[in-house]
Amino acid sequence: MERDFTNLKNEFGLNVIYNYDSKGYSVEDTAQLTTFFKFAELSSLAELYAEGLKDYETFQKWIIPDDSERFKGIEHLKPILNAITQSLKLKFDKVNYYRKTEKLYTVTPIRIKEYLNRWYLVAVPDGQDEIRNFGIDRISNLAVTNEPARKSSNFEEQLKNYEDIVGLNYNESINNEPEDIVVKATNEQLKYLRSLPLHKSQVCIDGQGGSNWGRVTYHLKPNYEFMTQLLRMADQVEVIKPKWFREKIFRNINRINNLYK
């Protein structure tokens, strides 16, 4: 059992401790435990896909695959976690789809982040002081080095920026400070938003007095990714305030409308 606990700590950063009051074991960081379970879930699904695709004719009798690409690179999660917990640097090649180039990186791994069912390595490249996001599906030739990583505590302030945004790119946020966002939404759309919140600050209020329209409030930095999430809900939502953000949504809708004239 002790060996298992050691493996959990070394490989996944889970520190299991014995509680003398309850006479049982517990994990110190429950947030880390949630991440571990999500990682285990995706790893299991990735393995299922890998085995199933070997015998696709049988596989498709039971599973309707939609986007198997989201499992690409998932084998990198374990060595990345090992590097983070052991404070070691990583080396890998990263593909740039737009430029059709490939570049070698040596980085200090800081975190693993999930967005829209895809996983990203949050890391600081050698010679830089700003954290960057690397999609694990674009990484190849990944290797854990013996070179000590930089102290992750040096980048905690930058990591806090993720708390105030939707998605990954806090540098693309339109304003520097979080704002109160009010969105009008149909009661039907509110059901979906409650099941899959866009942000931890989200609060849904159903329409009163027979009204089919309720409200959703957020406190965040309204970046491009947040805007696209609202636009994909089409006529089921309407941004009420702030005024500048409502007008920005309006301009985007007009541009889309002009494409179809």
Side-chain angles (χ1 to χ4, degrees):
M1 183 180 292
E2 289 300 325
R3 180 183 296 176
D4 293 333
F5 291 160
T6 300
N7 288 337
L8 285 171
K9 183 174 182 178
N10 292 339
E11 296 188 13
F12 301 103
L14 292 175
N15 192 22
V16 181
I17 58 174
Y18 183 78
N19 189 312
Y20 289 95
D21 293 331
S22 63
K23 296 182 180 180
Y25 293 92
S26 62
V27 175
E28 282 186 326
D29 188 347
T30 55
Q32 190 74 13
L33 184 62
T34 301
T35 301
F36 168 73
F37 281 135
K38 185 67 177 179
F39 162 69
E41 175 193 358
L42 282 176
S43 294
S44 298
L45 285 172
E47 186 175 344
L48 173 65
Y49 264 81
E51 290 300 316
L53 291 174
K54 292 177 184 177
D55 183 10
Y56 190 76
E57 186 174 345
T58 301
F59 182 62
Q60 65 180 348
K61 292 179 181 179
W62 308 102
I63 305 291
I64 303 176
D66 179 27
D67 182 15
S68 58
E69 281 295 306
R70 75 187 182 101
F71 297 107
K72 185 178 179 182
I74 203 167
E75 70 277 4
H76 298 321
L77 288 180
K78 185 174 180 179
I80 289 173
L81 282 170
N82 285 340
I84 292 173
T85 56
Q86 296 175 40
S87 298
L88 295 173
K89 290 185 178 181
L90 288 167
K91 279 189 177 182
F92 56 82
D93 292 317
K94 190 255 184 182
V95 175
N96 185 312
Y97 291 150
Y98 180 74
R99 297 177 182 174
K100 297 181 180 179
T101 58
E102 193 169 275
K103 183 177 178 180
L104 174 65
Y105 283 92
T106 300
V107 304
T108 290
I110 306 294
R111 294 287 192 278
I112 293 176
K113 182 172 174 57
E114 182 198 7
Y115 179 58
L116 295 179
N117 289 323
R118 294 183 185 274
W119 290 87
Y120 298 83
L121 165 64
V122 180
V124 183
D126 278 6
Q128 299 182 27
D129 292 314
E130 295 289 326
I131 59 177
R132 285 188 54 183
N133 306 304
F134 298 90
I136 66 167
D137 58 315
R138 299 189 186 187
I139 288 175
S140 61
N141 303 318
L142 178 71
V144 180
T145 73
N146 292 321
E147 187 178 352
R150 298 159 72 181
K151 290 183 179 180
S152 60
S153 58
N154 294 341
F155 306 99
E156 289 298 327
E157 286 301 314
Q158 290 187 52
L159 288 171
K160 289 179 182 178
N161 288 312
Y162 288 115
E163 298 177 6
D164 296 325
I165 64 166
V166 170
L168 301 161
N169 299 309
Y170 61 81
N171 286 326
E172 291 182 6
S173 59
I174 300 166
N175 280 357
N176 291 326
E177 296 298 327
E179 293 190 61
D180 291 326
I181 312 295
V182 179
V183 178
K184 184 179 175 182
T186 64
N187 288 335
E188 283 299 311
Q189 189 62 49
L190 289 176
K191 295 176 183 177
Y192 293 104
L193 285 169
R194 284 193 176 100
S195 64
L196 290 172
L198 297 184
H199 188 259
K200 64 180 182 180
S201 67
Q202 175 181 290
V203 177
C204 296
I205 305 169
D206 286 323
Q208 303 296 317
S211 172
N212 186 46
W213 289 85
R215 287 199 169 196
V216 193
T217 61
Y218 299 94
H219 186 71
L220 48 69
K221 298 177 184 178
N223 61 355
Y224 175 78
E225 287 156 308
F226 177 60
M227 184 172 65
T228 58
Q229 289 297 316
L230 294 177
L231 287 170
R232 67 191 291 268
M233 288 181 267
D235 61 350
Q236 298 298 299
V237 299
E238 177 189 353
V239 174
I240 303 301
K241 63 179 184 180
K243 183 180 178 181
W244 72 265
F245 189 51
R246 176 184 171 89
E247 290 173 347
K248 188 173 184 67
I249 294 282
F250 179 74
R251 290 194 297 271
N252 273 270
I253 293 172
N254 264 345
R255 284 196 291 269
I256 295 170
N257 182 58
N258 290 333
L259 291 175
Y260 289 90
K261 283 185 177 180

